Amino acid sequence: TAVSPQAGAACRVAQSLAQYCVGANYAWAMAEGLFLLRLLVATSGRRCVPAFLLLGWGVPVLFVVPWVVLRYLYENEGCWERNEKMAVWWVIRCPILVAVAVNFVVFVRIVRILVAKVRAHQVSRGDTRLRLARSTLTLIPLLGVHEVVFALAGEGEGGSGLRLAR
């Protein structure tokens, strides 16, 4: 179906905004993980709040704007809902995979710190393992650690088991 130029432009702006929001979601998950790690390791994280704000809201601009330019130049068809040229799609996908990887490393470091703190304060507490498990399970969705499982699952159509599970 043919789309009017105005509708096509509005649809592309909406698609670009959606990509920015997805990128910001991952950037903020990474900022939250780094902030939590900072609070556990250092005495204060307040000095770093502007940097975390910049990470959460600013970093997605660094890869969404180039993606928009590349889409406009090389794949300016329809509403930009299809990803025919995968090289253009990787401009969006790579930073998201980096954020997922960073968050996984942060998660492992935080769990190590929690284990050390729980072991250090293990004075006749029977619920130590339960507290550690509860803390760890809370961090999994907060940091997006579950995304590690799906990080390399394809984005296109089709029926691989991992893609269907996602």
Side-chain angles (χ1 to χ4, degrees), residues 26 30 63 89-104 147-148 150-153 155 166:
Y26 284 97
M30 187 170 64
F63 57 87
W89 177 240
W90 281 102
V91 171
I92 289 282
R93 195 74 186 129
C94 278
I96 288 173
L97 291 175
V98 167
V100 168
V102 167
N103 264 2
F104 184 73
E147 287 288 330
V148 170
F150 302 114
L152 296 175
E155 296 290 331
R166 182 176 185 200

Side-chain angles (χ1 to χ4, degrees), residues 16 27 45 47-48 54 57-58 77 92 97 104 108-109 117 128 136-138 140 143-144 146-147:
S16 301
R47 282 184 301 153
C48 297
L54 186 63
W57 293 120
E77 298 172 6
I92 289 282
L97 291 175
F104 184 73
V108 169
R109 290 202 53 205
K117 287 186 182 229
T128 304
T136 304
L137 289 174
T138 302
I140 290 172
L143 299 179
H146 59 286
E147 287 288 330

Side-chain angles (χ1 to χ4, degrees), residues 9 18 25 73 80 82-83 97 113 117:
N25 184 43
L73 293 175
W80 294 357
R82 307 178 102 186
N83 297 309
L97 291 175
I113 291 170
K117 287 186 182 229

Side-chain angles (χ1 to χ4, degrees), residues 19-152:
Q19 294 300 334
Y20 173 80
C21 290
V22 168
N25 184 43
Y26 284 97
W28 271 109
M30 187 170 64
E32 289 169 359
L34 292 170
F35 183 71
L36 182 58
L37 182 62
R38 170 97 176 151
L39 289 177
L40 289 172
V41 172
T43 56
S44 173
R46 281 201 172 244
R47 282 184 301 153
C48 297
V49 169
F52 291 123
L53 286 170
L54 186 63
L55 175 64
W57 293 120
V59 167
V61 172
L62 298 177
F63 57 87
V64 171
V65 169
W67 176 80
V68 167
V69 170
L70 290 171
R71 284 302 294 237
Y72 181 77
L73 293 175
Y74 299 110
E75 206 174 6
N76 195 18
E77 298 172 6
C79 188
W80 294 357
E81 72 278 5
R82 307 178 102 186
N83 297 309
E84 300 293 328
K85 295 183 179 5
M86 290 311 286
V88 174
W89 177 240
W90 281 102
V91 171
I92 289 282
R93 195 74 186 129
C94 278
I96 288 173
L97 291 175
V98 167
V100 168
V102 167
N103 264 2
F104 184 73
V105 170
V106 166
F107 171 75
V108 169
R109 290 202 53 205
I110 288 173
V111 168
R112 281 184 172 166
I113 291 170
L114 289 176
V115 167
K117 287 186 182 229
V118 165
R119 283 187 179 157
H121 296 14
Q122 198 176 23
V123 229
S124 72
R125 288 196 89 128
D127 66 338
T128 304
R129 286 192 176 139
L130 179 65
R131 287 174 46 224
L132 180 60
R134 195 176 314 141
S135 300
T136 304
L137 289 174
T138 302
L139 287 174
I140 290 172
L142 176 71
L143 299 179
V145 174
H146 59 286
E147 287 288 330
V148 170
V149 176
F150 302 114
L152 296 175

